[in-house]
Amino acid sequence: MIGSIVDTVLDRTVVGGYTNVGYQVRSRGWSASELQRMDGKVVAVTGASSGLGLAAAEGFARLGATVWVIVRDRERGERARAEIAARSGNDDIQVGVCDLSRLASIRSFAGRLSSRASRLDVLVNNAGTMTQTRELSADGIELTLALTNRLIGLLQRSAPARIINVSSGGMYAQRLRVDDLQSEHGSFDGPSVYARSKRAEVVLTEIWAQRLAGSGVTVHAMHPGWADTPGVRSSLPRFYRATRPLLRTPAEGADTIVWLGAAAEPALRSGRFWHDRRPRPVHLLPRTRETPAQRASLWAQCVELSGWHDDAADGSS
């Protein structure tokens, strides 16, 4: 493992840490033995038809897990299933169709998964979109909460289990906006709104970890660095052209997702924010820090938006 000082310098310089350079330097000290076999375990990955989700699903399949690829489009899901099976040698890949922009679809899928899967050991909340114009629920904040909540019972019955929320390093530049959670006011800037939603997701990760303490379910967030994915190519074309030689492969970006789901260390603590297999600070700028009241407001609003009744909606329990 590289020294902590070198690792921190890479992380704070961004270009050094988020690109394939950072991955190549850090991964030299990693051991293949950290990734434990997952035979008999069940993993569900949202947004698994391409990019980071597809790479993460393949990583879990290589470790022997039963993998549910959760997608909006059945045809794309079947292509992903065939690709994962062929590359991993694991045929136990299931396709779950769920439109994460619709609460009815989330409820329906969660019911189907709970009835068909006897357990759920890892839930990866990876699906996300970046748009250039405002679309209702495009940020997916309350929908991530909705899916997680619907599957909590299955996760708890399968404990020890893990929830992994895929965030973005862009969240470092944004603060929590509980006064405009759905980006209804002011001019709309797609990358900024996306980054704010990822900030909110990290806060929700901490709240979930607090609420699930002692249940056997750990919750973590991570960011993949800068990876060459369809979403980056389509949503950030100028960034993609400028950084293409330095972008990580999807597998490199997804490495920490798989590590968080399979390695022993993440099970020992909860509520952390990770990058390249190490916990990272949640804030780098003082102006992004939220207050306890803002955290409570985020939880309460998400509960209301998701249609989930919660008797302890202040997020403190």
Side-chain angles (χ1 to χ4, degrees):
M1 179 70 73
I2 65 170
S4 59
I5 294 178
V6 174
D7 177 76
T8 300
V9 169
L10 285 171
D11 195 54
R12 300 302 186 272
T13 56
V14 179
V15 173
Y18 289 18
T19 61
N20 52 28
V21 174
Y23 179 85
Q24 290 162 10
V25 171
R26 289 166 172 153
S27 62
R28 291 172 188 164
W30 297 345
S31 170
S33 64
E34 292 181 59
L35 298 180
Q36 302 175 354
R37 291 290 300 176
M38 300 184 71
D39 304 274
K41 296 186 180 296
V42 178
V43 178
V45 183
T46 69
S49 62
S50 64
L52 296 173
L54 178 63
E58 181 181 332
F60 287 118
R62 288 182 182 275
L63 295 174
T66 296
V67 179
W68 280 79
V69 294
I70 305 174
V71 296
R72 285 190 299 178
D73 181 80
R74 168 69 68 178
E75 185 177 348
R76 292 187 67 189
E78 290 296 342
R79 286 200 299 268
R81 185 203 62 75
E83 184 176 338
I84 293 167
R87 290 183 176 179
S88 68
N90 182 350
D91 291 327
D92 197 1
I93 313 300
Q94 309 296 321
V95 177
V97 178
C98 178
D99 183 349
L100 289 168
S101 67
R102 297 175 55 243
L103 289 171
S105 182
I106 290 173
R107 287 192 293 267
S108 177
F109 167 74
R112 292 195 307 274
L113 180 61
S114 296
S115 64
R116 290 186 56 187
S118 60
R119 60 186 301 110
L120 179 59
D121 299 275
V122 180
L123 170 64
V124 179
N125 289 310
N126 165 72
T129 59
M130 184 187 300
T131 62
Q132 297 306 315
T133 58
R134 183 179 182 274
E135 298 178 10
L136 187 62
S137 296
D139 55 22
I141 297 171
E142 78 281 4
L143 302 177
T144 295
L145 178 80
L147 179 63
T148 301
N149 173 62
R150 294 283 171 176
L151 295 174
I152 280 294
L154 183 57
L155 286 159
Q156 289 179 317
R157 291 193 296 274
S158 309
R162 309 178 190 191
I163 300 168
I164 303 164
N165 295 322
V166 180
S167 185
S168 165
M171 71 102 192
Y172 277 122
Q174 297 294 325
R175 62 185 177 88
L176 190 61
R177 285 291 307 274
V178 293
D179 59 323
D180 189 20
L181 196 59
Q182 295 291 314
S183 302
E184 298 173 289
H185 309 294
S187 59
F188 185 95
D189 178 72
S192 295
V193 170
Y194 177 79
R196 285 204 299 270
S197 77
K198 293 303 182 180
R199 164 64 68 188
E201 194 169 39
V202 170
V203 176
L204 286 173
T205 296
E206 295 176 332
I207 295 174
W208 268 122
Q210 192 175 35
R211 296 176 65 84
L212 292 172
S215 71
V217 180
T218 56
V219 192
H220 292 292
M222 61 78 66
H223 82 84
W226 296 345
D228 188 345
T229 65
V232 170
R233 282 177 238 145
S234 62
S235 301
L236 298 170
R238 286 185 293 179
F239 172 83
Y240 176 74
R241 288 192 296 270
T243 60
R244 185 176 181 180
L246 295 172
L247 294 179
R248 300 175 175 212
T249 66
E252 291 171 345
D255 173 84
T256 296
I257 300 174
V258 178
W259 182 84
L260 285 169
E265 181 182 345
L268 303 177
R269 42 189 167 173
S270 189
R272 299 296 184 92
F273 182 55
W274 301 79
H275 173 55
D276 283 347
R277 304 191 184 188
R278 279 195 176 181
R280 306 294 172 180
V282 172
H283 298 277
L284 296 179
L285 303 171
R287 66 177 176 81
T288 67
R289 295 184 181 277
E290 71 281 347
T291 65
Q294 289 171 326
R295 293 167 68 90
S297 178
L298 171 66
W299 182 264
Q301 289 186 63
C302 286
V303 166
E304 181 179 2
L305 288 165
S306 68
W308 170 46
H309 177 68
D310 177 27
D311 293 331
D314 63 359
S316 62
S317 64

